[in-house]
Amino acid sequence: MDRRIEKSKQAIMDAFTKLMLEKDFEKITINEIAELANVNRGTVYSHYVDIFDLLNQCIENHLNKLFENCQPKGNDNNISGKDSLCRTFNYLEQNAFFYSKMLMSKSITAFRNRLHALMVKSVEEQLDMNGINTDVNREIMVQYFASATIGVIEWWITNSMPYSSEYMAEQLLSLMERYQNVTEPLTRR
């Protein structure tokens, strides 16, 4: 991709994110985004169909970064669950303003839905990697862990992160391990 195109897209996305932190999504205009990004209106429309397309791509961008951040880097395939969760909570902490706005906005359900889908995928991968097999319906178990994890993240962010990211990772991992210990006789059949 041409560097100028990449730079203008990034400037537009940064301007949009900044405006999202300042006001409700419904009150943001393309003109405001263009002015803050120092581009003309046509440039915004050349990259995004409308403000909803920009919102969707912004959400996708942030969630991809979240997912990439908690994955192993390079040859580091032996990352522990705790390290992965610490990376996740650290990333969330560094980008708390954005995630707080997205989670607290009643009008942006797309974010929560995408976050949930991403979490479901992650839980399924963890179950597959660890070979966990219980008498609990797999689909229900995946939904339970995904929803519980999102609930904890949402609580932590919307309550101004009362605990450190490391503590949150330890606590969430401890809860997950307790579930695994309770089901240990049922696992690996």
Side-chain angles (χ1 to χ4, degrees):
M1 185 185 300
D2 186 335
R3 285 187 182 163
R4 289 172 295 161
I5 292 171
E6 195 174 310
K7 274 181 104 171
S8 66
K9 282 183 84 168
Q10 189 60 50
I12 293 166
M13 195 155 301
D14 290 347
F16 179 63
T17 301
K18 186 175 190 300
L19 288 168
M20 293 259 318
L21 300 176
E22 296 172 2
K23 58 198 317 187
D24 291 334
F25 169 72
E26 299 83 20
K27 295 180 181 175
I28 298 172
T29 67
I30 294 293
N31 285 340
E32 290 175 307
I33 296 166
E35 186 176 317
L36 190 58
N38 199 24
V39 298
N40 65 46
R41 229 181 109 112
T43 303
V44 176
Y45 284 116
S46 70
H47 298 300
Y48 306 98
V49 174
D50 56 20
I51 198 160
F52 296 101
D53 182 38
L54 176 55
L55 173 65
N56 285 331
Q57 289 192 42
C58 185
I59 289 170
E60 194 69 31
N61 184 37
H62 277 275
L63 290 179
N64 284 340
K65 286 180 183 176
L66 172 65
F67 188 71
E68 289 168 9
N69 195 63
C70 65
Q71 296 301 309
K73 308 275 191 258
N75 295 334
D76 187 20
N77 289 331
N78 295 327
I79 186 172
S80 71
K82 181 180 176 186
D83 289 339
S84 179
L85 281 172
C86 276
R87 286 180 183 182
T88 301
F89 277 100
N90 283 328
Y91 179 81
L92 290 168
E93 187 172 44
Q94 292 165 3
N95 296 277
F97 288 119
F98 175 80
Y99 286 99
S100 173
K101 184 71 171 185
M102 290 290 108
L103 289 168
M104 292 178 11
S105 176
K106 301 296 181 212
S107 62
I108 307 177
T109 57
F111 176 77
R112 201 164 201 300
N113 293 342
R114 293 254 230 2
L115 180 60
H116 187 266
L118 182 66
M119 192 60 63
V120 164
K121 180 181 175 191
S122 180
V123 169
E124 287 174 335
E125 288 173 1
Q126 286 298 313
L127 290 176
D128 291 342
M129 276 186 354
N130 295 328
I132 296 174
N133 184 16
T134 70
D135 63 346
V136 175
N137 178 294
R138 179 182 169 88
E139 185 177 13
I140 293 170
M141 184 168 41
V142 166
Q143 292 299 318
Y144 171 79
F145 277 121
S147 297
T149 301
I150 290 171
V152 168
I153 288 170
E154 187 172 13
W155 170 85
W156 182 65
I157 289 174
T158 58
N159 284 286
S160 303
M161 298 170 285
Y163 302 104
S164 72
S165 54
E166 290 78 17
Y167 182 78
M168 290 303 296
E170 288 170 5
Q171 292 298 299
L172 192 54
L173 186 62
S174 178
L175 288 169
M176 290 177 180
E177 286 173 346
R178 283 186 184 166
Y179 174 80
Q180 195 171 0
N181 289 339
V182 167
T183 62
E184 193 64 39
L186 305 172
T187 60
R188 306 187 201 296
R189 290 184 182 171

